[in-house]
Amino acid sequence: DHFAIAHAIDKRFVVEKGMRGVGKVIDSVIPPGIPWAYNPNVPKYEFDVKKANALLDAAGHPRGASGMRFSLGLSYEAGNDNSERPAQIIREQLKAVGIEVKLERLERSVMLDKVFKKYDFDMWFGPLTTRGHPALGVARLFTTSSITGRPFTNFTRYSNPKVDRLFDLAVA
């Protein structure tokens, strides 16, 4: 399902219109500006509504009578223009493939508690940075040791021993 969602979102449009052109679409959590760590051969999820629909069909999510397949919540920080407009655009883009998105506009303290501490969300949109080095800005989002319930750490609770080892090597 997440691959379908990745194909259903026109990331360039989100950056251009939702974030007023401030930002850049990249295919990896490690940007090309960190060439020693960047891998240009990661899988690409180009905007392709037809492919997104086919993936959703194949995953067993047919459209219902309303045209919708299922619904998801999209949490974001209230008052943050770099989250609000993109969240609205993503809602409309996912609607085109039959995913109803219920926007959840949260005050910062509530968002930090709900998303990062309680892990109570379907999807979250918010600006993050790599801070110039994967060990600082990326590891905190993907290493097992960063599943802490603290703001801007591994809120997806992703855990992979190989990834943990690679980040350990990056700082050695």
Side-chain angles (χ1 to χ4, degrees):
D1 300 346
H2 58 283
F3 297 123
I5 290 171
H7 285 295
I9 297 173
D10 184 347
K11 295 173 273 305
R12 291 188 200 301
F13 188 85
V14 171
V15 170
E16 289 171 14
K17 302 298 182 187
M19 300 176 76
R20 297 184 180 133
V22 177
K24 185 177 178 183
V25 175
I26 59 174
D27 295 310
S28 172
V29 296
I30 299 174
I34 307 175
W36 64 268
Y38 174 70
N39 179 357
N41 300 315
V42 297
K44 310 287 191 268
Y45 301 100
E46 297 299 326
F47 177 56
D48 187 336
V49 172
K50 186 176 179 181
K51 187 170 188 171
N53 276 309
L55 287 168
L56 288 165
D57 289 340
H61 298 293
R63 288 181 186 263
S66 68
M68 293 294 115
R69 298 169 186 277
F70 56 87
S71 66
L72 293 170
L74 175 55
S75 303
Y76 64 95
E77 184 179 348
N80 183 333
D81 282 348
N82 288 326
S83 295
E84 290 219 30
R85 283 188 316 276
Q88 293 165 358
I89 291 168
I90 290 168
R91 175 186 59 198
E92 294 307 310
Q93 290 181 349
L94 293 182
K95 185 177 184 180
V97 297
I99 300 173
E100 178 186 22
V101 174
K102 297 176 182 178
L103 296 180
E104 188 172 32
R105 185 178 192 265
L106 304 169
E107 294 301 322
R108 185 174 181 84
S109 62
V110 174
M111 184 266 306
L112 292 173
D113 184 62
K114 190 170 180 159
V115 173
F116 293 95
K117 185 175 182 181
K118 294 180 180 169
Y119 310 111
D120 181 19
F121 66 100
D122 293 328
M123 298 183 294
W124 174 75
F125 187 92
L128 293 172
T129 178
T130 60
R131 303 195 188 279
H133 193 288
L136 300 173
V138 182
R140 67 188 165 99
L141 299 171
F142 295 100
T143 57
T144 304
S145 63
S146 292
I147 302 172
T148 63
R150 291 193 299 255
F152 308 107
T153 57
N154 188 345
F155 62 99
T156 62
R157 294 182 278 180
Y158 178 81
S159 181
N160 182 325
K162 182 177 180 181
V163 170
D164 292 342
R165 280 190 304 278
L166 289 170
F167 276 113
D168 286 345
L169 289 171
V171 295

